Amino acid sequence: SRNPRCYWMFRATRFVRRALRFSDAGGAAATKDGLVLRFNTPTTSIHDGDTVKMVLVPAVSGEMGILTGHVPAIAQLKPGVVTVYETDSDIKRYFVSGGFAVVREDATASVSVPEAVDIEDLDPAAVQAGISKYQGEIANAKDDEEKTNAEIGLEVHEAMQYAISLTK
């Protein structure tokens, strides 16, 4: 049987959400021209409520495209490329080490990551050196912890190598 208190709290939450959806209390909403994007690191706002056409994020479950009208969602991000389509011809790509993407009911999107680097700023030689380093560490790992740490380093560097390939 259901807990009546939990059931009523759930119902009350739905009513509050509906009320907020139709008020201006929710802040900037998506426009007919695009999606309102907040893309932040702890130290930088890359997009702070800017209107964009679309965002692609590297979700753990696979690539996720976010457009105006997207259903509310939360996605954990893996190392990879966040692609921001500011317009059809103005496309920006950033390498991220992980993070979260949140799409709200009003179709605003927030992408919060620990770090984001324009893929043009990645050094191919340094990335290749990192791949070689972590492959060696995996081969010479003395225990599971060392091997796991090296596998994480390799995964991130391989994701950076893929990001660099997008610029060619």
Side-chain angles (χ1 to χ4, degrees), residues 90-164:
D90 189 9
I91 302 167
K92 303 275 195 294
R93 291 184 175 92
Y94 303 89
F95 179 80
V96 299
S97 58
F100 288 91
V102 178
V103 183
R104 292 177 181 75
E105 283 188 11
D106 64 356
T108 60
S110 296
V111 178
S112 299
V113 298
E115 55 190 339
V117 177
D118 188 316
I119 61 172
E120 300 286 335
D121 295 336
L122 293 174
D123 179 0
V127 170
Q128 187 57 50
I131 288 172
S132 297
K133 172 188 171 193
Y134 288 112
Q135 286 173 335
E137 287 184 14
I138 289 169
N140 298 319
K142 294 178 179 54
D143 57 34
D144 288 343
E145 183 178 355
E146 280 185 16
K147 185 175 181 182
T148 300
N149 287 334
E151 287 170 342
I152 292 168
L154 180 60
E155 178 185 356
V156 170
H157 281 78
E158 287 176 340
M160 284 190 275
Q161 186 178 48
Y162 171 73
I164 291 168

Side-chain angles (χ1 to χ4, degrees), residues 8-150:
W8 288 109
M9 271 184 13
F10 174 74
R11 298 279 300 169
T13 301
R14 288 179 55 201
F15 290 124
V16 169
R17 284 187 187 156
R18 281 189 199 142
L20 288 174
R21 188 178 325 149
F22 296 110
S23 75
D24 287 333
T31 68
K32 66 180 178 177
D33 299 325
L35 176 74
V36 175
L37 175 65
R38 290 179 183 81
F39 180 17
N40 301 300
T41 71
T43 59
T44 306
S45 288
I46 298 166
H47 287 277
D48 191 16
D50 302 332
T51 300
V52 300
K53 191 162 185 98
M54 179 175 72
V55 180
L56 292 174
V57 296
V60 170
S61 60
E63 291 290 315
M64 180 173 138
I66 305 170
L67 294 160
T68 300
H70 195 287
V71 297
I74 298 175
Q76 181 180 354
L77 306 182
K78 64 182 180 179
V81 178
V82 171
T83 306
V84 179
Y85 291 80
E86 294 178 356
T87 66
D88 287 332
S89 59
D90 189 9
I91 302 167
K92 303 275 195 294
R93 291 184 175 92
Y94 303 89
F95 179 80
V96 299
S97 58
F100 288 91
V102 178
V103 183
R104 292 177 181 75
E105 283 188 11
D106 64 356
T108 60
S110 296
V111 178
S112 299
V113 298
E115 55 190 339
V117 177
D118 188 316
I119 61 172
E120 300 286 335
D121 295 336
L122 293 174
D123 179 0
V127 170
Q128 187 57 50
I131 288 172
S132 297
K133 172 188 171 193
Y134 288 112
Q135 286 173 335
E137 287 184 14
I138 289 169
N140 298 319
K142 294 178 179 54
D143 57 34
D144 288 343
E145 183 178 355
E146 280 185 16
K147 185 175 181 182
T148 300
N149 287 334

